[in-house]
Amino acid sequence: MTGPCGTCHTLPSVTVDRFDPTPIYLQIAGVLRERIQSGQYAPGQVLPSEQQLQQEFEVARATARRAVEVLRDEGLVVTMPQRGSYVTPK
């Protein structure tokens, strides 16, 4: 099955635990990190857009953006303006 972009696969929706003391953006970053490390998102593959992350996790755009920023700071993704965030080679 393909996702909304027509090329990516639809992933099961994961909810964040709003009662967990861990900030939601760190929970989302953790889910995305796990997907990268497991190979669901391969090196060179584009991550879901901020809008797609908003919809999947039911969060504000700033929260989705901050989650991707964490991964960028860790060196797991690189963001290209107007193109998206891509998984870096291992």
Side-chain angles (χ1 to χ4, degrees):
M1 180 185 324
T2 59
C5 68
T7 59
C8 62
H9 294 288
T10 302
L11 297 171
S13 181
V14 176
T15 58
V16 293
D17 184 351
R18 297 184 191 287
F19 297 104
D20 186 322
T22 305
I24 293 173
Y25 76 94
L26 289 178
Q27 292 182 50
I28 296 170
V31 170
L32 297 174
R33 185 182 306 107
E34 189 175 299
R35 291 177 183 174
I36 291 168
Q37 292 171 342
S38 73
Q40 277 184 295
Y41 296 145
Q45 183 176 351
V46 67
L47 288 183
S49 68
E50 288 176 0
Q51 183 178 8
Q52 290 169 321
L53 292 174
Q54 277 181 266
Q55 292 171 350
E56 178 178 355
F57 295 102
E58 298 178 346
V59 296
R61 184 175 187 161
T63 304
R65 181 176 291 167
R66 199 161 175 198
V68 173
E69 184 179 314
V70 168
L71 299 177
R72 190 171 47 246
D73 290 346
E74 293 175 0
L76 292 174
V77 300
V78 61
T79 301
M80 300 176 158
Q82 305 297 318
R83 294 183 53 199
S85 294
Y86 294 81
V87 178
T88 57
K90 293 183 179 182

